[in-house]
Amino acid sequence: MLRREEHPDGIVELAMDRPPANALDLELVEALRGGLAEAVAAGAEGIVLSGRPGMFSAGLDVPHLLGLERPGIEALWGAYLSLLREIAECAVPVSAAITGHSPAGGAVNALFCDERVMAEGEYRIGLNEVSVGIALPREIFGPLVRLVGERQAERLGVGGLMIPAAEALRLGLVDELVPLERVTERAVERLRALLALPRGPMLATRAMFRSELAAGLDSARVVQLLVEQWFSDTTQTALRRLVDRLRRPGKES
């Protein structure tokens, strides 16, 4: 479910590979956390987070998670917020190679990376949590504002919008568009250019600009708010409607 590939100049790629859509469950979240920690401990100079062709990550695995009781949901949210914090605070730059569609948690993962290279064309990205009954916590809305500004963040978040790759580039949600087959290669190239700079000053300046990115993500209060929301009647109804749509013929779950 997570492939590791070594690239030149100390760059490590962590490729999510959980068919069909790289949906996030506790196992994949923990695999990503372990992959990041192991790469840094082994001396990686930079990390690329990628997905399957056509799908970076579909976000939380809602059909699976709906079958979990409260302890399972608490564990998932706690681990997921820890993953975001660990991406944000990673000692080396992390680039998102967005290899296709990237809704909800897939887009959130990318928000916390240093850079985002996305496949051009028909692919869409967005924080569509509201459309499936989940309010964006401030700790995630803030990083969205950091990239696109307050007005556009409000429009995207409140509307739960999934926007085309070209609009994502125009708004600053992603940094570059390239053909699908070049997404990971280009993410590696951009990291290599960053790593060619004087290392100490680059990393110190990077840390300064990213210092507030993970604020609040280790809060037990945030986990409890997300858990309470998950089990609310409104959210459960919206999530079950989503699962019904996904299970219709021609849809992937």
Side-chain angles (χ1 to χ4, degrees):
M1 103 171 21
L2 187 68
R3 293 183 291 104
R4 175 189 169 115
E5 183 173 344
E6 302 281 346
H7 292 271
D9 300 318
I11 295 172
V12 173
E13 178 186 354
L14 300 176
M16 293 178 284
D17 191 15
R18 183 175 183 251
N22 286 338
L24 300 166
D25 65 352
L26 183 58
E27 187 177 1
L28 180 52
V29 169
E30 292 291 15
L32 285 165
R33 295 182 65 197
L36 284 168
E38 290 166 12
V40 173
E45 302 287 351
I47 297 171
V48 171
L49 181 60
S50 67
R52 294 165 59 82
M55 178 64 75
F56 179 60
S57 171
L60 296 181
D61 186 349
V62 174
H64 167 69
L65 297 180
L66 277 175
L68 299 183
E69 301 295 334
R70 186 173 292 263
I73 296 301
E74 287 178 347
L76 181 279
W77 277 122
Y80 184 56
L81 293 179
S82 292
L83 170 63
L84 298 179
R85 186 183 73 250
E86 289 155 13
I87 294 172
E89 295 178 343
C90 189
V92 301
V94 182
S95 179
I98 306 173
T99 52
H101 296 299
S102 186
V108 173
N109 285 356
L111 283 183
F112 285 84
C113 293
D114 291 69
E115 294 189 325
R116 287 147 291 278
V117 178
M118 185 174 179
E120 64 187 13
E122 63 184 16
Y123 302 108
R124 289 178 174 263
I125 184 171
L127 280 73
N128 61 329
E129 281 82 354
V130 165
S131 67
V132 297
I134 299 174
L136 281 179
R138 182 178 298 275
E139 291 76 10
I140 292 174
F141 185 72
L144 179 61
V145 170
R146 178 175 180 265
L147 293 185
V148 303
E150 290 190 4
R151 176 63 193 110
Q152 291 301 328
E154 179 183 0
R155 183 177 73 89
L156 298 176
V158 173
L161 302 182
M162 290 290 297
I163 60 174
E167 183 178 356
L169 178 65
R170 179 177 64 81
L171 295 180
L173 185 57
V174 301
D175 299 299
E176 187 174 353
L177 302 181
V178 297
L180 174 60
E181 63 273 14
R182 285 210 67 232
V183 171
T184 299
E185 176 187 3
R186 183 59 184 146
V188 169
E189 289 172 352
R190 290 177 65 106
L191 269 184
R192 190 175 294 128
L194 188 62
L195 294 169
L197 297 169
R199 194 64 51 88
M202 181 273 287
L203 291 175
T205 304
R206 170 184 177 268
M208 178 184 67
F209 278 109
R210 295 173 64 81
S211 62
E212 298 300 320
L213 193 55
L217 286 174
D218 58 351
S219 168
R221 176 190 62 82
V222 178
V223 172
Q224 288 306 308
L225 286 174
L226 288 166
V227 171
E228 292 303 324
Q229 181 181 187
W230 181 270
F231 286 105
S232 70
D233 290 341
T234 298
T235 298
Q236 287 287 301
T237 297
L239 291 173
R240 292 186 188 283
R241 286 175 179 165
L242 170 64
V243 171
D244 287 342
R245 292 198 303 271
L246 291 174
R247 287 177 175 164
R248 290 173 191 165
K251 295 287 186 179
E252 290 183 338
S253 60

